[in-house]
Amino acid sequence: ADVPPITRTLEGRRLLGESRRCLERLLNLSMAWQLTGDAKYVQRGKKEMLAVAEFSDWNPSHFLDVAEMTLAMAIGYDWMFDGLDDASRETIREAILKKGVTLPFETKHKGWVKATNNWGQVCHCGLTAGALAILEDEPEWAAKTVHNAIQNVPRSMKAYAPHGSYPEGPSYWAYGTTFNVVLLAMFDQLLETDFGLSNMAGFDQTGGYLNLVTGPSGEAFNYADGGARRGPAEALYWFAKRYQRPDWLLGENARLQAAIKSFNVRDAGKGGNRLLPLALLWMDGKDEPLAESSIALPLHWQSGGDTPIAVHRSSWTDPNATFVGLKAGSPSGPHGQMDTGSFVLDADGVRWAMDLGAEGYHGIEARGMNLWSAAQNSDRWTIFRQSNAGHNTLVIDGQLQIAKGHAPIIAFSDKPEFPHSITDLSAVYQGQAKKVRRGIALLPSREVLIQDELNGLKTGQRVRWGMITRAEVATQASATLHLQQQNQRMELTIVEPPGATWSIINTEKPPHEWDSPNPGTRMVAVEVETPSSGELRVIVLATPGSCDANSNKSPEVRPLSDW
């Protein structure tokens, strides 16, 4: 009660933090009012909404701010309607209309309307919610807004084709997809049709995406701009119910319970789980553990699409399972990083090969740096977490990957005897080598083989193979490295080239003052000089500590062309 209402306080160019806090507050207050009928929730909700209605605007220059604020106000207005007085209703309704719904039709703030990324999903959801909330009073605006959404949100939804992946990674999947689901749920509830949007290619598969890219460690394969932490995702309950796929909820109830148990009122109110109450509308109330036979998710999967990834795992139920994910595509993809060819690796319940995630946006922008250009000379690539130097991929002579290059996955196998994926990285190392390929295989022993083949190099060029990890280096011999983490062990062995040795690179303190520190991390690296032939093969074998000692034999080395 002593917490003041939301204020119009910008962080840099964004009001988004306040919009998200408002959405969290109003959804929770509205849900509490619906469940209890206690008028105190309406009184506080009204206080929030009237404060927001008085803002000069909801910061349309960064339109996500408007979208989330409009959704907040729409939910509060609609769900608390019966508890609001007429004067408050009119004030809130007018704010929804003038500060949200009309903007793309009457002002210059409509650049997002034809967006092909998460902006399209979030903004069309927010404004459609606002328009439908005031439908009785503004039917023409509601019709225009709904038409605008069904015409344009498919531009964003095309990203799910062909197999339900998301080019911006799992963090942005949770953002864009949840708002997309809210949009479709509104259409279903109010208009009794989603206009065929849920039939778009890949959307009927994307409910499995989060689990496919989450390793046994519980961390996600966080390529592009995003963290590895996996919290509850309310949209999964909608997907599981809509498409009758309970296995898409694998581990979800446990994540939800963990989030509830770890709730701390001092940390609440930041908007992080702002849409979580919607899970109550979509869950079926069952909490039965899934039998392995009912898990229809594949062990080995490739995404297809413009940002292809591939994942391989040894089991869905074995706590010691091995999981490896491979990223292809282009640095210039949506929220892209120079992580082409990068991988993550889990074994024995631990993440061994990690992605550092995104650099904070505000700190970079506050320096006047251009974070959002994908040009080769962009400031974006001077940031450690964005460059290939800060990823589990190759660096040739200290050079950047080619931002406009695109790497396809050229081979994929889910055959149990040798599941593997191969990506052709040549285009992202254009001018540095003629041909670069990386293959990753999951062996029957649960070991992982990472094999790189390069040719057309110049004699004397330095090629660095790197893997960032939180693990401590327990012992370091010439070709063998023992890592230790959470009472588990991992052995890394340089199979080729002969004579190559391990080095350790400090990633805790990156090179530039604008780079965020990465405490508790280091890169284990193999750096080799190109021989006169201009050809180089780097092969590393990762052996989890739980592997059967009898199976830890040197793998048969075959060229990638024979995989």
Side-chain angles (χ1 to χ4, degrees), residues 375-420:
Q376 190 66 34
N377 63 351
S378 170
D379 292 337
R380 184 174 182 85
W381 312 127
T382 68
I383 300 165
F384 184 69
R385 293 187 186 180
Q386 307 290 354
S387 72
N388 48 312
H391 285 98
N392 305 334
T393 188
L394 299 172
V395 178
I396 301 175
D397 268 350
Q399 298 178 77
L400 295 171
Q401 291 184 341
I402 305 304
K404 66 180 180 181
H406 184 273
I409 290 179
I410 58 172
F412 171 85
S413 174
D414 57 3
K415 293 181 179 178
E417 60 270 19
F418 192 64
H420 65 269

Side-chain angles (χ1 to χ4, degrees), residues 31 56 97 123 152 169 359:
M31 183 70 79
S56 57
L97 181 67
C123 294
N152 290 295
E359 181 60 79

Side-chain angles (χ1 to χ4, degrees), residues 24-37 41 75-76 79-80 275-282:
E24 180 180 56
R25 289 182 185 183
L26 287 175
L27 180 52
N28 277 283
L29 290 165
S30 299
M31 183 70 79
W33 157 251
Q34 289 289 327
L35 293 174
T36 69
Y41 298 115
I75 290 172
W79 290 23
M80 298 183 183
L275 294 176
L276 191 57
L278 294 179
L280 292 173
L281 305 180
W282 301 325

Side-chain angles (χ1 to χ4, degrees), residues 540-562:
V540 174
L541 179 68
T543 304
S546 64
C547 283
D548 181 354
N550 295 325
S551 67
N552 297 349
K553 301 171 184 175
S554 295
E556 177 191 357
V557 174
R558 292 180 287 161
L560 292 177
S561 57
D562 291 344

Side-chain angles (χ1 to χ4, degrees), residues 214-262:
T214 299
S217 67
E219 295 188 28
F221 178 13
N222 57 315
Y223 59 93
D225 280 339
R229 182 179 175 274
R230 172 87 190 271
E234 54 280 351
L236 291 183
Y237 290 98
W238 183 91
F239 278 108
K241 192 173 186 179
R242 178 64 171 262
Y243 298 104
Q244 297 300 301
R245 287 295 301 269
D247 57 325
W248 289 352
L249 290 173
L250 189 65
E252 195 60 23
N253 288 336
R255 278 183 284 271
L256 183 57
Q257 290 299 322
I260 293 170
K261 286 180 182 177
S262 64

Side-chain angles (χ1 to χ4, degrees), residues 319-321 346-352 446 469-474 482-491 543-547:
N320 291 329
D346 284 8
D348 299 340
V350 172
R351 172 136 304 175
W352 297 98
R446 289 190 287 109
T469 185
R470 298 186 198 94
E472 299 286 345
V473 177
H482 287 99
L483 301 177
Q484 188 165 328
Q485 186 180 184
Q486 297 177 23
N487 296 320
Q488 301 293 341
R489 293 175 70 85
M490 167 75 73
E491 181 179 281
T543 304
S546 64
C547 283

